[in-house]
Amino acid sequence: MISRRLADWTLLFVLLFTVAYFFLSHEGLYAIDDYYYSRYAHQLISGTFRIAPDPQGLLHDPLKERPMIYGPVGLCYALFGTNIISSTLWPLLATLGCSVVIWKLYRRREPVVAAAAMLLLGLHYFNLNLTNYLYPDNILMFWCLAGAAALLVGRRSADYELAWGVGFALLSFAALLSKETIVYYLPFYLALLARDAWQRQHRRFWVAAVITGVGLLASYLAFYQIYTDDALYRLHLIEHTNEFLKEGNYLVGNRAALLGRITWQPLAFFIGTGLGPLLLLACAALFQPAEPGSDRRFWVTLGFSTLLFYWVGSTSLSQYNPITLLPRMTTPLLPPLALAAGFGLRTMLRTGKGLLLVTLGLLLCAVWLHNSLSVLYGGLGLFLGAVAAAQYVRQRPAVFRLGNEGVFILAMVVFAGCLAIRPAYFMWKPSVSSHFAQDRVIRQHLQAPAQGVVLVDDFLIDNYDFYYGFKVPPHLQFRRYWSRDSLQLQPGQHAWLLLNRSTLTNDELTRKLIRYSPDSVLSWYPRRRLIAEDGKVSLYEVKW
């Protein structure tokens, strides 16, 4: 019997590692999405939030329809002030919450499954990366996992079926208020409801869930009918967005790429983002024999049904447009697949069945990628291969004996080490945004009673008010660098040049947005005097 301390220590490690990553690799605001979410959160606490739709009927901002993203952030602002840490505290807590849910579910019954799932999910680089940004994906992941867990526990609970049914409906509704892709769980939920109805099982649970869910959905549609005169406003908003982007979809503007998108591209994408070990172990669980009382089948079915809809499903009802192959779009898939993979690894290390196939798959991925991720695949492949080979050695060490507690502990150590390599690298990598240095310069030198114009780059011009808690001093104006020829200063006003060399050399920005170098910007303002410097951020006073 494996001690539950294995799950306890794994949870502690994952939580500490996640928090360390959050603080050591934070890069500040990333794009327009997190800026809009933070602005809505501030509007909530300042009383300026408006529910009504765009008066021009353009339907251009679906982010406003996700109150479970910016609502909790507004609470964080009220408690801790408006800053980048309080802005991203909610995604961090949601990420940590996923590990806690897994630990709570299986620390006693299946400590190896719990430990493996927490490592595969909690140390996945892109999940850690999303703790730093106010995006909906990790928040949705938490609601998805919590809802599925409520469904699993509620259906086998004899005493609190009604409460679990209500909880399942509430958690699923919270997911809907976070992001629309909770819909990928719906086919599994409906299939399970139909099965239980046919077998006349778990009636109290489903009655409570359906009544609560229908009530919540009816209230939701009535809300939109009252405020927008369109009960299906959110659906129409999604369809309008797809219509606006149809030139890039797979049936109008990108038809030639459709076959690849629904066949080999998702597989290559999953391998290239480091999800190969999770998928291989989940596939191993798919072909393992049934075990009485095991939850393996639940997570395998949910994981692969969700994966199928991600692979070939559409983001639109009116046109076929598969979801974008971006790492952050995969988060709803990961909790059930991680738990399925946990069952797969546990059974493999107990019986040895599938070890050689998974080893071969991992090593092939390492050879095919031949990049830094090959260390992850190669390390795990070599370990599992060593365990498989040790079974043919008569005098093998106890730590390599299948089913022995030592082999499970060693496996968790190896998995933790291999999975932590990539995020650990980014924890020690120099900042690419210098957000905190820029924030310090603005707080120390560009506050009231300063008056005049601050010249900034094309990235900062769209979000500079965030640095002031959305309350910019009334006598400060922000302009782009290239507006220098049109500036006219009033008596008593000054002009400053804020130069963030990290922004001006960031590859993601220089490909599309930034078209100038630090030296070229300085050449536009030869009459300047250095006021402050913090790392790669400099503040100059300039004269005409």
Side-chain angles (χ1 to χ4, degrees):
M1 183 67 179
I2 306 299
S3 170
R4 65 172 181 259
R5 289 189 178 275
L6 178 63
D8 296 342
W9 284 108
T10 303
L11 174 68
L12 180 62
F13 172 74
V14 170
L15 296 184
L16 292 176
F17 191 89
T18 303
V19 172
Y21 181 91
F22 176 80
F23 284 104
L24 293 175
S25 64
H26 212 301
E27 294 288 359
L29 285 174
Y30 176 69
I32 195 169
D33 286 23
D34 47 2
Y35 170 74
Y36 275 142
Y37 286 129
S38 62
R39 190 173 68 179
Y40 291 145
H42 181 266
Q43 288 175 355
L44 279 178
I45 64 171
S46 62
T48 58
F49 186 81
R50 296 293 176 264
I51 298 175
D54 179 3
Q56 296 182 355
L58 299 178
L59 304 176
H60 69 285
D61 188 8
L63 305 184
K64 198 172 187 179
E65 313 311 315
R66 298 171 177 176
M68 286 307 298
I69 304 301
Y70 55 82
V73 176
L75 177 61
C76 292
Y77 285 172
L79 294 174
F80 309 114
T82 305
N83 55 69
I84 195 59
I85 298 301
S86 59
S87 297
T88 48
L89 186 60
W90 175 217
L92 171 65
L93 292 175
T95 308
L96 298 174
C98 290
S99 295
V100 173
V101 170
I102 293 172
W103 171 81
K104 183 64 176 176
L105 277 176
Y106 292 114
R107 65 183 290 257
R108 295 180 184 275
R109 298 172 56 223
E110 295 282 4
V112 174
V113 172
M118 285 188 287
L119 291 174
L120 289 167
L121 182 66
L123 298 188
H124 176 50
Y125 166 71
F126 288 104
N127 278 359
L128 288 167
N129 180 254
L130 285 168
T131 63
N132 287 344
Y133 304 109
L134 184 51
Y135 273 57
D137 307 283
N138 280 22
I139 298 168
L140 173 67
M141 178 174 67
F142 171 73
W143 294 125
C144 287
L145 174 58
L151 173 61
L152 175 68
V153 175
R155 289 175 66 250
R156 69 184 182 209
S157 173
D159 300 324
Y160 302 101
E161 282 187 292
L162 292 177
W164 282 111
V166 172
F168 167 65
L170 289 172
L171 291 167
S172 300
F173 187 65
L176 178 64
L177 298 183
S178 298
K179 195 175 181 181
E180 301 79 9
T181 42
I182 180 59
V183 72
Y184 290 145
Y185 276 45
L186 185 61
F188 174 78
Y189 290 162
L190 293 178
L192 203 57
L193 171 60
R195 175 186 177 276
D196 285 350
W198 177 261
Q199 297 181 353
R200 297 183 178 180
Q201 294 179 329
H202 315 298
R203 289 183 178 180
R204 289 163 57 83
F205 173 86
W206 284 114
V207 167
V210 171
I211 290 177
T212 304
V214 170
L216 289 171
L217 190 58
S219 301
Y220 187 58
L221 297 178
F223 169 85
Y224 276 115
Q225 181 64 41
I226 292 171
Y227 283 99
T228 70
D229 294 323
D230 181 7
L232 300 179
Y233 172 78
R234 191 173 179 186
L235 177 62
H236 293 153
L237 178 59
I238 296 170
E239 292 301 321
H240 188 279
T241 303
N242 277 281
E243 179 67 21
F244 179 75
L245 300 174
K246 69 179 182 181
E247 291 186 0
N249 75 24
Y250 288 90
L251 292 184
V252 178
N254 201 19
R255 184 176 298 180
L258 177 61
L259 182 62
R261 169 59 185 83
I262 61 175
T263 53
W264 61 269
Q265 285 181 4
L267 180 60
F269 163 73
F270 286 126
I271 295 173
T273 53
L275 291 174
L278 186 148
L279 285 179
L280 284 168
L281 292 170
C283 287
L286 182 64
F287 296 104
Q288 288 167 354
E291 300 174 344
S294 173
D295 296 332
R296 178 191 62 85
R297 186 178 178 184
F298 178 92
W299 296 112
V300 166
T301 308
L302 175 57
F304 280 98
S305 64
T306 309
L307 177 63
L308 175 65
F309 281 92
Y310 180 90
W311 204 297
V312 299
S314 174
T315 61
S316 170
L317 296 175
S318 60
Q319 51 190 296
Y320 184 63
N321 190 23
I323 197 167
T324 309
L325 292 177
L326 290 175
R328 69 184 184 89
M329 300 295 185
T330 64
T331 52
L333 316 175
L334 303 186
L337 287 174
L339 282 160
F343 280 100
L345 180 63
R346 184 263 281 160
T347 304
M348 270 198 332
L349 295 178
R350 182 180 292 173
T351 66
K353 294 180 179 179
L355 261 177
L356 289 176
L357 287 176
V358 173
T359 296
L360 180 61
L362 288 169
L363 294 178
L364 286 175
C365 288
V367 173
W368 179 68
L369 287 174
H370 57 273
N371 58 23
S372 58
L373 263 180
S374 297
V375 177
L376 167 64
Y377 288 98
L380 295 180
L382 290 174
F383 166 71
L384 294 179
V387 174
Q391 307 316 305
Y392 299 96
V393 178
R394 181 171 299 179
Q395 299 297 327
R396 59 183 175 272
V399 74
F400 282 103
R401 292 176 185 169
L402 294 177
N404 183 282
E405 185 173 13
V407 75
F408 292 114
I409 295 174
L410 180 61
M412 296 308 111
V413 172
V414 172
F415 270 70
C418 291
L419 290 165
I421 291 174
R422 189 179 187 189
Y425 166 75
F426 283 93
M427 288 164 66
W428 299 108
K429 187 179 179 181
S431 171
V432 298
S433 69
S434 295
H435 168 88
F436 295 99
Q438 183 167 266
D439 182 60
R440 287 190 294 268
V441 169
I442 290 175
R443 288 181 181 275
Q444 294 171 11
H445 300 279
L446 296 175
Q447 300 291 331
Q451 300 181 38
V453 177
V454 184
L455 297 157
V456 298
D457 56 71
D458 286 277
F459 179 73
L460 184 58
I461 193 64
D462 291 325
N463 56 51
Y464 64 86
D465 56 344
F466 175 83
Y467 292 83
Y468 293 93
F470 300 98
K471 298 178 181 178
V472 182
H475 298 293
L476 277 181
Q477 299 178 29
F478 283 74
R479 299 284 188 86
R480 290 180 169 86
Y481 291 145
W482 46 262
S483 65
R484 60 193 182 278
D485 294 332
S486 62
L487 290 181
Q488 293 185 357
L489 298 179
Q490 301 299 321
Q493 290 186 331
H494 298 266
W496 294 274
L497 171 68
L498 182 60
L499 189 72
N500 186 334
R501 291 174 175 82
S502 294
T503 298
L504 302 191
T505 55
N506 186 326
D507 291 340
E508 293 188 19
L509 297 176
T510 55
R511 284 196 298 266
K512 295 181 179 180
L513 183 63
I514 304 296
R515 301 296 186 183
Y516 36 78
S517 67
D519 290 339
S520 63
V521 172
L522 291 176
S523 68
W524 299 340
Y525 300 94
R527 299 179 61 192
R528 62 182 184 273
R529 179 172 65 90
L530 182 64
I531 300 296
E533 193 165 34
D534 190 333
K536 294 187 176 183
V537 178
S538 302
L539 179 67
Y540 299 89
E541 184 176 7
V542 296
K543 296 184 181 298
W544 269 253

